Amino acid sequence: MGCPGAGKGTQSARLKEVFNLKHISTGDVLRAEIASGSSLGQQIAGLINQGNLVPDELIISMLEKLVSTTQQGLIFDGFPRTVTQAQALDEMMMRLGRQINAVVMIDLPESEVVKRLSTRRLCKECSKPAATATQTVCECGGELYVRADDAPESIKHRLEVYRAQTLPVKDYYKNSGKYVEINGNQTPDEVFGDIKNVLEKIK
Ligand code: AMP
């Protein structure tokens, strides 16, 4: 978990390698649907570009398909984003005989979020952010682009949505014994080190 720009995607991509996990980014799944050009994708694009959340039922049924077809350990990135999603995840895990081992919240001050998102450029191929402001293509050779929902008005609205709909998820997990907060206002390596330490204790 974490607000927009906290580093969820960056950290998940690294953690999946170290812990051999399947990385499920709901944002990436939604962007793939948009790229397919389907009519559902067009509806999703409307919501995402405005900085709104996609309806819970759609996210939950999408997740159900991905989770029920694998036995591999999972890392969810950007899910759950509402209390309804968190409840549905608990129910899904129980039904599939699985469990949640850790809920990692990457914490970042809002001033830093705006700074990061308004300069962010991502790779079309591997989704990684550009490492420097002057870089013209990704290290993997992919084209860099600015996400439509990283426009200033969308960033502002995404933060409002985050406060109203996603922050309550923190309370949902806070007393579960699985919730950990990590300082996201550090270098990616430092954030990664902190998360890895926590997860290694659980393993
Ligand atoms: P992300 O790539 O995680 O920043 O997600 C980009 C956008 O996709 C979000 O701002 C939402 O519009 C949508 N989205 C991603 N995950 C979810 C989710 N779990 N529930 C609802 N909408 C989501």
Side-chain angles (χ1 to χ4, degrees):
M1 290 185 65
C3 60
K8 302 184 293 293
T10 300
Q11 296 301 329
S12 302
R14 292 181 67 169
L15 291 165
K16 77 167 183 186
E17 301 296 336
V18 175
F19 294 97
N20 186 29
L21 301 169
K22 182 180 165 79
H23 174 196
I24 300 182
S25 154
T26 40
D28 282 351
V29 175
L30 294 169
R31 281 184 288 276
E33 186 66 42
I34 296 171
S36 78
S38 69
S39 64
L40 176 64
Q42 282 175 13
Q43 290 172 39
I44 292 172
L47 291 165
I48 292 188
N49 294 348
Q50 301 273 314
N52 289 314
L53 294 185
V54 169
D56 287 332
E57 312 78 66
L58 178 63
I59 295 286
I60 293 162
S61 72
M62 210 173 77
L63 254 284
E64 178 93 43
K65 279 186 211 129
L66 291 168
V67 174
S68 60
T69 51
T70 181
Q71 287 303 310
Q72 202 181 349
L74 303 164
I75 180 160
F76 295 112
D77 159 8
F79 174 88
R81 258 176 158 101
T82 65
V83 170
T84 303
Q85 291 179 18
Q87 288 164 337
L89 177 63
D90 275 345
E91 196 264 321
M92 199 190 308
M93 293 281 110
M94 200 141 75
R95 195 159 17 91
L96 297 172
R98 286 185 162 234
Q99 61 176 22
I100 297 173
N101 301 102
V103 179
V104 179
M105 163 68 92
I106 308 178
D107 216 19
L108 192 70
E110 286 197 7
S111 54
E112 189 59 28
V113 173
V114 176
K115 208 159 63 185
R116 280 191 192 183
L117 293 186
S118 51
T119 55
R120 170 162 90 165
R121 290 174 310 138
L122 298 163
C123 174
K124 273 190 181 165
E125 302 302 322
C126 70
S127 303
K128 278 195 189 150
T132 66
T134 50
Q135 207 174 327
T136 50
V137 285
C138 178
E139 286 146 15
C140 79
E143 196 185 326
L144 296 171
Y145 78 110
V146 175
R147 265 172 53 171
D149 59 342
D150 282 345
E153 22 349 312
S154 292
I155 296 175
K156 190 168 165 275
H157 186 57
R158 280 160 74 197
L159 282 170
E160 285 161 5
V161 168
Y162 177 76
R163 270 183 243 120
Q165 301 193 51
T166 307
L167 266 187
V169 180
K170 174 173 163 172
D171 292 328
Y172 183 85
Y173 287 121
K174 216 158 62 187
N175 300 319
S176 65
K178 293 167 184 163
Y179 179 82
V180 261
E181 250 173 44
I182 302 288
N183 173 13
N185 205 6
Q186 311 183 80
T187 65
D189 282 349
E190 287 166 339
V191 176
F192 179 67
D194 285 358
I195 301 177
K196 194 162 158 276
N197 279 343
V198 167
L199 297 187
E200 271 167 354
K201 285 190 196 122
I202 295 167
K203 242 175 37 158

